[in-house]
């Protein structure tokens, strides 16, 4: 028996046992209860193209993210100057990268400049200038800071989308960043893609704003309302006819409270009208603010605004303490549930736009599986027949190696939690070809040695030695290609790269170790004088 025979057989048996162990959940419909405690229970994941679902590529509007950051800075400066009794005429964003403070006198401007420089050291403070009798100070966000904000906005959007999808209940989603501003979302097996897309794409910026009832909203236009106010629309649905009416409201631009202060949002059913609504809870800061705002504005209307649409604008009847509120509207239960999800998951830092939307139906996915399996079986069958005819008994050894390849690969996919896609099935078929190719190289070298008059044992050893470098070179170059595909590819291309990479490594083992073990065993046990090749 050749050197190392024992450990090579042990490795093959160990890999076989592990492969079957990890494939059991996929092969068996229902696992016994004793299995689920400590043994693998996950099935091989099927990709989008094999079970249907949606593939989305979303672009985060990073320009809006920077503008949102500047708006927050403007609001913060307003609060700071007000708290310190420093008079100002206006603080607002005046360009995609600038915030301007308009002050009444130079003394105040000097004080404000010092404070701004201390509070926002990363912002560039431009020289003040006079205009119309006022002193203007501008803060500019430089390119480096803007890029950092954009990068953080995309990262935050990705996490928010992930939270929403997790709460929506999609199993095994793929959510990944692509490039500088894109996010790829794959939702396999989803049955209502339209609802999921609406849920993911909603910005969900929740704001509470005071309504200005001194202005006739029906006659107001954007040019006639004060600078610190805006016109929003409240949509109402007639429960009897289903007709939607839009009622304009003039509200303060500045939000008194935002959704950032929420801790929970749940769907409830109104016992009086049997209508669903969303009950929300604020954190301690939000509860204190809500208490102060409602106490100071009893008798006024308080608009609940989501993504610039007024959901409701109830009148504050009394001070509301405790940090609870409710968002009511003409919701269906699904709409209320989705609203609660996006509020719990948090708002997106910037709007997202769907730039690619590919939906694969479940029937098309099943059709892909059937055709893929059929192609694989036909390919394997043809190769088995060819090898058995051309290389005789040695061809059967190569066929055994090919079967081991497939078993090991499926086991590895299950163990690593990888996803099997249609290109992944193509990679398996390719692996079958590579497996045969390796054995053909070895067998031809063995034939050359046999023609030189060597014994079967010496010919096999020499054949494996001489083919080793050629097989290694071809596999390493293919592995590099697979690595590049994985790094720069997306979706199905990555699935192909994963299956191919695993297949290459496994094929090296089976072609150089597993098949050699069979030859060593047969030659030693049966004293073969002539090799069937």
């Amino acid at each position: 028996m050749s050197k190392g025979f024992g450990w090579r057989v042990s490795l093959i048996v160990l890999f076989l046992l592990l492969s079957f162990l990890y494939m059991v959940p996929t092969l068996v419909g229902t696992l016994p209860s004793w299995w689920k405690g400590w043994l693998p229970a996950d099935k091989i994941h099927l990709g989008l193209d094999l079970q249907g679902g949606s593939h989305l590529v979303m672009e985060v509007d990073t320009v809006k993210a920077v503008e949102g950051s500047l708006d927050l800075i403007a609001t913060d400066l307003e609060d700071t100057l007000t708290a310190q009794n420093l008079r100002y005429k206006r603080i607002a964003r005046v360009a995609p990268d600038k915030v301007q403070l308009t002050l009444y006198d130079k003394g105040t401007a000097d004080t404000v400049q010092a404070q701004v420089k201390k509070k926002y050291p990363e912002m560039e403070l431009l020289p003040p200038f006079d205009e119309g009798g006022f002193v203007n100070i501008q803060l500019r966000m430089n390119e480096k800071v803007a890029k950092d904000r954009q990068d953080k906005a995309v990262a935050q959007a990705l996490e928010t989308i992930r939270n929403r999808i997790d709460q929506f209940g999609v199993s095994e989603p793929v959510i990944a960043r692509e490039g500088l501003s894109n996010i790829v979302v794959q939702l396999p097996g989803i049955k209502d893609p339209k609802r999921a897309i609406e849920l993911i794409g909603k910005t969900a910026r929740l704001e509470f704003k005071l309504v200005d009832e001194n202005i006739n909203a029906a006659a107001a236009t954007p040019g006639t309302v004060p600078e610190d106010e805006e016109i929003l629309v409240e949509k109402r649905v007639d429960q009897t006819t289903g007709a939607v009416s839009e009622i304009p409201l003039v509200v303060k631009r500045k939000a008194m409270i935002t959704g950032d202060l929420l801790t929970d949002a749940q769907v409830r059913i109104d016992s009086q009208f049997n209508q669903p609504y969303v009950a929300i809870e604020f954190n301690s800061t939000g509860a204190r603010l809500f208490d102060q705002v409602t106490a100071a504005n009893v008798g006024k209307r308080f608009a609940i605004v989501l993504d610039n649409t007024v959901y409701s604008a109830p009148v504050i009847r009394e001070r509301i303490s405790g940090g609870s509120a409710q968002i009511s509207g003409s919701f269906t239960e699904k709409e209320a549930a989705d609203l609660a999800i996006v509020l719990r998951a948090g708002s997106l830092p910037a709007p997202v736009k769907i730039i690619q939307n590919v939906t694969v139906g479940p029937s098309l996915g099943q059709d892909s599986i059937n055709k893929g399996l059929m192609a694989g079986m036909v390919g394997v069958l043809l190769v088995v027949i060819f090898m058995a005819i051309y290389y005789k008994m040695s061809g059967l050894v190569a066929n055994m190696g090919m079967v081991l390849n497939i078993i090991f690969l499926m086991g590895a996919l299950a163990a690593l939690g990888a996803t099997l896609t249609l290109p992944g099935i193509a990679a398996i078929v390719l692996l079958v070809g590579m497996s045969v190719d390796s054995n053909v190289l070895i067998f031809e070298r063995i034939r050359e040695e046999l023609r030189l008059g060597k014994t079967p044992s010496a010919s096999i050893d020499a054949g494996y030695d001489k083919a080793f470098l050629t097989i290694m070179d071809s596999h390493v170059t293919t592995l590099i290609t697979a690595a590049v595909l994985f790094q720069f590819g997306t979706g199905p291309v990555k699935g192909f790269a994963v299956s191919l990479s695993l297949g290459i490594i496994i094929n090296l083992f089976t072609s150089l170790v597993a098949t050699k073990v069979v030859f060593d065993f047969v030659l030693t046990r049966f004293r073969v004088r002539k090799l069937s090749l």
Side-chain angles (χ1 to χ4, degrees), residues 397-418:
V397 176
N399 289 337
M400 182 216 68
M402 182 178 61
V403 173
L404 282 179
N405 264 341
I406 296 173
I407 294 172
F408 289 163
L409 177 59
M410 299 308 290
L413 286 173
L416 296 176

Side-chain angles (χ1 to χ4, degrees), residues 117-175:
K117 192 178 292 185
K118 185 178 177 182
K119 193 163 191 175
Y120 296 103
E122 76 280 9
M123 299 287 286
E124 184 181 352
L125 195 58
L126 302 179
F129 61 94
D130 296 341
E131 186 179 37
F134 298 99
V135 182
N136 292 308
I137 300 172
Q138 289 188 339
L139 280 84
R140 193 171 76 85
M141 184 178 283
N142 64 42
E143 194 174 336
K144 183 181 175 185
V145 175
K147 280 189 175 176
D148 182 58
R149 297 288 168 92
Q150 291 171 348
D151 185 64
K152 286 178 178 171
V154 177
Q156 186 183 340
L158 189 144
E159 284 306 311
T160 303
I161 289 172
R162 189 189 304 281
N163 287 337
R164 290 181 184 181
I165 291 172
D166 287 346
Q167 296 194 34
F168 188 58
V170 178
S171 61
E172 300 159 15
V174 175
I175 308 156

Side-chain angles (χ1 to χ4, degrees), residues 23-24 79 93 96 106 121 217 238 293 370 414 488:
M23 284 197 298
V24 165
D79 293 341
R93 177 172 50 82
K106 193 169 183 311
D238 189 307
V293 171
N370 296 338
F488 298 104

Side-chain angles (χ1 to χ4, degrees), residues 9-82:
V9 172
S10 301
L11 272 182
I12 295 168
V13 173
L14 177 65
F15 290 157
L16 263 178
L17 286 175
L18 287 175
S19 297
F20 281 118
L21 190 66
Y22 278 101
M23 284 197 298
V24 165
T26 305
L27 299 174
V28 178
T30 306
L31 293 170
S33 56
W34 55 266
W35 180 281
K36 297 178 181 176
W38 52 281
L39 292 171
D42 290 336
K43 295 182 177 181
I44 293 177
H45 303 158
L46 295 182
L48 201 67
D49 48 0
L50 295 183
Q51 63 170 320
S54 292
H55 173 89
L56 307 171
V57 180
M58 315 180 85
E59 183 183 30
V60 181
D61 190 342
T62 52
V63 175
K64 291 285 184 189
V66 173
E67 291 179 354
S69 297
L70 291 172
D71 287 337
L72 287 176
I73 290 174
T75 303
D76 183 49
L77 287 173
E78 281 181 353
D79 293 341
T80 303
L81 298 192
T82 302

Side-chain angles (χ1 to χ4, degrees), residues 368-527:
S368 299
I369 293 176
N370 296 338
K371 288 183 177 177
L373 290 177
M374 179 59 72
M377 285 192 295
V378 170
V380 169
L381 187 63
L382 290 175
V383 169
V384 166
I385 293 171
F386 172 79
M387 293 299 287
I389 292 174
Y390 194 73
Y391 290 107
K392 302 173 186 172
M393 292 302 290
S394 298
L396 294 180
V397 176
N399 289 337
M400 182 216 68
M402 182 178 61
V403 173
L404 282 179
N405 264 341
I406 296 173
I407 294 172
F408 289 163
L409 177 59
M410 299 308 290
L413 286 173
L416 296 176
T419 301
L420 183 63
T421 61
L422 192 59
I425 293 177
I428 294 172
V429 176
L430 177 62
L431 175 65
V432 170
M434 291 183 66
S435 170
V436 172
D437 185 51
S438 301
N439 284 290
V440 167
L441 281 172
I442 294 169
F443 292 167
E444 291 303 320
R445 296 288 177 274
I446 294 174
R447 276 181 171 173
E448 289 173 4
E449 300 301 319
L450 288 172
R451 288 190 202 106
L452 295 175
K454 292 185 178 178
T455 63
S457 177
S459 300
I460 287 172
D461 287 342
Y464 272 90
D465 287 343
K466 290 183 177 178
F468 178 81
L469 283 180
T470 309
I471 293 172
M472 190 61 79
D473 285 350
S474 64
H475 281 62
V476 168
T477 51
T478 311
L479 194 60
I480 292 171
T481 307
V484 173
L485 285 176
F486 183 82
Q487 179 65 32
F488 298 104
T490 59
V493 178
K494 279 199 171 185
F496 177 82
V498 169
S499 300
L500 184 61
S501 303
L502 289 172
I504 291 166
I505 296 167
I506 290 168
N507 187 51
L508 274 176
F509 175 77
T510 53
S511 61
L512 296 175
V513 177
T515 55
K516 181 73 165 40
V517 164
V518 177
F519 280 118
D520 287 344
F521 175 77
V522 171
L523 291 175
T524 309
R525 191 67 180 263
F526 299 103
R527 301 186 182 282

